[in-house]
Amino acid sequence: MSEMFGAMGIARLKAGLAAKEFSAAEVAQGALARIAEADQQVHSFLEVTEQMALAAAAQVDKAIAAGTFGEMGILAGVPVAFKDNMNLEGTRTTCSSRMLENYVSPYTATCVEKCLQAGALPMGKLNMDEFAFGSSTETSAFGPTRNPWDLQRVPGGSSGGSAAAVAAGLVCATLGSDTGGSIRQPGAFCGVVGLKPTYGTVSRYGVVAFGSSLDQVGPFTRSVEDAALMMNVLAGRDPLDCTSQPCSADFTANLAEGVRGMRIGVVPEFMEAKGLTDEVRQKVADAIGQVEALGAQLVEIDLPHARAAMSAYYVLGPCEAFSNLARFDSVRYGYCDPGHTDLGSQYDASRAVGFGAEAKRRIMLGSYLLSAGVYDKYYYPAQQVRTLITQDYQQAYEKVDCILTPVAPRTAFKFGEIGDPTEMYLSDMFTISINIAGNGGMSMPVGLGEASGMPVGVQLISPAFHDANMLRVAAALETVYGPAPVAPDFADGKVA
């Protein structure tokens, strides 16, 4: 049974390293051994970067021996792993697609590079829905990831591997990406903290794009403090990403301030939404009561255009996906089907084989929506709806400091339980509007559902570039619910 270094919080792990209770090499070796023995059941990793982790650990141990450990970055000696749409030089970046199965990154994404510069031990690349198209990690070309709380259930998606690796205690933190809920929904399904910062807070350079105006990178952790520490590493302007913004605030600064005096918005329409299960509604209502008991003022707000968010998203998202995936043409990037004598048949066959069903569905939809005569009917009105949704949030934040809602309408479902793509899309019904508006949003666990026994999360939504607001509320709630535990079947070194 390997040491559970991956289940430690960042502060505890660094304190142990500073006190020489264990070495960074022992942390790396322990985490690698734990991944080897436990991930056979979960399948959160697509590639384990053993040599990179050991090399990084050697640098940390060298600093400890020289007495300069305190001068290293926030993540010195901390095991971290990355969603497989993030480039890391020398590793495969497949986006869980046959199209990129053999693609080896020639460079490193800025978000990954920042973690490495902060001293993180890079443990590997994590499974996901193909090209981030999905809400269950069932569309991965390399097999699904399983939820550590119940291996018969999905971990959510598209960042399912990132959430599951933290929930199983394999690593301290992971990075995911969120286009319509792909950090927050798997965070809720796996019972961990998942944070999508305001659009532009974290560089997207080197992250394979799904929807360029919607995508944002963020962390998964087991505590709010660890999420804030990860944001201190990730946030900031990147000259390689023109959409990134200068955001150098200390995200840990107000975690201990509590919520007394804060105005917390609740959306009655969300709590009465069709499809919201009783167990999720009850847990969210309990969290709302806890926030009020902690001294916050509850304010009912209306987001009148939020009900149109799903429709707008499934116009905007596929259009951007169609544009971004056009580069995978078998000539410049991606799988090349052999034996063709003309470019057209090679192109068609390569994309037919390289892309999975959901990727094809979104490419076809985006192609149609951007075609002549259709663009003005759908795409332009969707952009108008986007403006209205953004204005709704702006008006709401004139009344409140943070908004609390459900994350997903239900807890994690069983594999194969949802076969209808439209029903699957509804998994993101509470999260999509935040990506459309660009605000920050996060999920944190608030216990287990009474009927399913699976984790339930609540969503906290902050004004744009005021993500510290939601972290402050989350930290206060964490005093009630505690930090996220490792899934029981994987706690204390067990293997399901």
Side-chain angles (χ1 to χ4, degrees), residues 80-101:
V80 179
F82 311 101
K83 187 175 179 179
D84 201 35
N85 61 349
M86 300 173 186
N87 280 276
L88 172 57
E89 184 177 358
T91 68
R92 291 190 303 275
T93 299
T94 71
C95 295
S96 290
S97 176
R98 296 294 180 193
M99 179 60 76
L100 291 175
E101 184 173 6

Side-chain angles (χ1 to χ4, degrees), residues 43 46 83-86 93-102 126-145 155-161 177 179 182 208-211 215 313-314 317-318 321-322 324-325 328 334-335 349-363 424-425:
H43 188 44
L46 294 180
K83 187 175 179 179
D84 201 35
N85 61 349
M86 300 173 186
T93 299
T94 71
C95 295
S96 290
S97 176
R98 296 294 180 193
M99 179 60 76
L100 291 175
E101 184 173 6
N102 298 312
L126 298 160
N127 201 13
M128 56 185 282
D129 280 302
E130 183 181 14
F131 283 105
F133 302 149
S135 301
S136 63
T137 316
E138 290 176 288
T139 69
S140 170
F142 309 116
T145 295
S158 63
S159 306
S177 63
T179 308
S182 290
V208 181
F210 164 4
D215 298 342
Y313 177 85
Y314 281 102
F322 166 72
N324 281 319
L325 269 61
F328 302 114
Y335 169 77
S350 297
R351 288 170 69 87
V353 174
F355 289 127
E358 184 61 31
K360 293 174 186 175
R361 185 178 294 116
R362 302 206 190 197
I363 290 169
M424 184 72 76
Y425 297 161

Side-chain angles (χ1 to χ4, degrees), residues 356-407:
E358 184 61 31
K360 293 174 186 175
R361 185 178 294 116
R362 302 206 190 197
I363 290 169
M364 292 172 66
L365 179 57
S367 175
Y368 169 73
L369 291 168
L370 290 174
S371 61
V374 178
Y375 174 94
D376 290 340
K377 185 177 180 180
Y378 293 107
Y379 185 78
Y380 184 63
Q383 291 288 20
Q384 291 177 309
V385 169
R386 182 178 205 160
T387 299
L388 293 173
I389 291 171
T390 303
Q391 291 173 347
D392 286 348
Y393 276 103
Q394 290 172 342
Q395 292 168 8
Y397 287 120
E398 293 174 1
K399 303 175 183 177
V400 301
D401 304 302
C402 184
I403 298 172
L404 193 158
T405 75
V407 179

Side-chain angles (χ1 to χ4, degrees), residues 288-349:
I288 291 171
Q290 293 292 349
V291 166
E292 186 175 30
L294 290 167
Q297 175 189 355
L298 300 181
V299 180
E300 290 191 356
I301 59 171
D302 184 25
L303 299 172
H305 298 98
R307 64 179 67 91
M310 186 75 70
S311 299
Y313 177 85
Y314 281 102
V315 172
L316 300 174
C319 287
E320 295 188 14
F322 166 72
S323 177
N324 281 319
L325 269 61
R327 75 190 77 172
F328 302 114
D329 59 4
S330 78
V331 177
R332 292 168 293 180
Y333 302 95
Y335 169 77
C336 181
D337 197 65
H340 297 274
T341 57
D342 66 281
L343 184 60
S345 64
Q346 175 188 305
Y347 181 83
D348 291 344

